[in-house]
Amino acid sequence: MPPKSDSTEAIVLNHVNEQNRPLNSQNVADSLQKYNLKKASIQKALDTLADSGKISFKEYGKQKIYLARQDQFNIPNNEELASMKDENAKLQEHLDQQKKAITEVEGEIKSLQSNLTLGQIHDKEAKLRDEVKEMEDKLVKVRGGVTLVRPEEKKAVEAMYSEKISQWRKRKRMFKDLWDAITENSPKDLKEFKEELGIEYDEDVGVNLQSFPELLQHGKKRARGQ
């Protein structure tokens, strides 16, 4: 249900007085959208308030500018203004001090939060001691010639490794045969053609297939020698 004319006037008058600056009807309508008032009713209220002398207004062509009556406000004299400026400066200084104190306290809180509690220190110490003991036990086993990897696990890994090397070698040979067939009568420069297709040889990325089987053989010789 839309507000009555007198309540609209009260809302508009209160707004104009609170703003205490030049306003047109659109300014007022935009600011009072939350009251769901129509611009026409706001314009009517402004004109009524102006006609009754409750607010001031001036006309600039077709535009009306409304302003709160200045005689309703207590305007401070020069002495009062100077006193208010001094008080404002003191308040600003006090505010800056409070902000500085708050920043220092927040810094101390963050510092304390980043530190471990005594209980957390004890828990971490116990965990580190367990990790050290576990590594020392492994070291003793290695020094005593104890094999940490079971023979069947080692054999399975070596078989898988050999299979991957075989697949690598097989695919490398298949690519070479296919590449030779494609480029046999090609007029293109093979290096440029390879770069155009985005092809990279093992050597282009610093990989040598021959070195991988040697790693496996080296591991076997090392195991026999121990």
Side-chain angles (χ1 to χ4, degrees), residues 103-168:
T103 301
E104 291 175 354
V105 171
E106 288 177 343
E108 291 178 6
I109 291 173
K110 287 181 180 179
S111 177
L112 291 172
Q113 288 176 338
S114 65
N115 295 331
L116 296 176
T117 63
L118 186 59
Q120 290 173 328
I121 291 173
H122 288 159
D123 291 342
K124 191 165 186 177
E125 180 187 14
K127 184 179 179 181
L128 290 173
R129 287 183 182 277
D130 291 341
E131 291 177 357
V132 169
K133 187 176 185 307
E134 184 180 348
M135 289 188 285
E136 286 178 343
D137 291 343
K138 287 183 178 180
L139 183 59
V140 169
K141 290 179 181 179
V142 172
R143 285 175 175 172
V146 177
T147 303
L148 299 180
V149 179
R150 294 198 300 261
E152 57 270 23
E153 292 178 345
K154 182 181 178 183
K155 187 175 181 180
V157 170
E158 288 176 347
M160 184 186 298
Y161 187 85
S162 297
E163 172 64 18
K164 299 301 181 185
I165 295 297
S166 298
Q167 289 292 333
W168 186 356

Side-chain angles (χ1 to χ4, degrees), residues 18-70:
E18 282 183 351
Q19 294 297 308
N20 193 23
R21 62 185 179 86
L23 300 167
N24 59 31
S25 58
Q26 187 62 53
N27 298 145
V28 179
D30 291 341
S31 300
L32 299 180
Q33 287 182 7
K34 61 182 179 180
Y35 293 103
N36 198 26
L37 300 175
K38 294 182 179 180
K39 185 179 177 182
S41 64
I42 290 175
Q43 181 68 65
K44 181 179 178 182
L46 286 168
D47 290 338
T48 302
L49 291 169
D51 292 341
S52 64
K54 293 180 180 179
I55 61 174
S56 303
F57 82 98
K58 289 185 178 293
E59 289 188 84
Y60 298 93
K62 295 182 179 180
Q63 179 88 342
K64 285 185 178 181
I65 301 298
Y66 302 89
L67 182 66
R69 287 180 57 117
Q70 298 303 296

Side-chain angles (χ1 to χ4, degrees), residues 11 53 74 163:
I11 293 171
N74 292 323
E163 172 64 18

Side-chain angles (χ1 to χ4, degrees), residues 5 10 13-16 40 52-53 63 67 71 101 122 142 146 153-155 159 162 179 188 205 212 215 217:
S5 177
L13 177 60
N14 184 59
H15 177 72
V16 172
S52 64
Q63 179 88 342
L67 182 66
D71 55 6
H122 288 159
V142 172
V146 177
E153 292 178 345
K154 182 181 178 183
K155 187 175 181 180
S162 297
W179 179 255
K188 290 188 175 182
V205 292
F212 285 85
L215 286 175
Q217 293 300 322

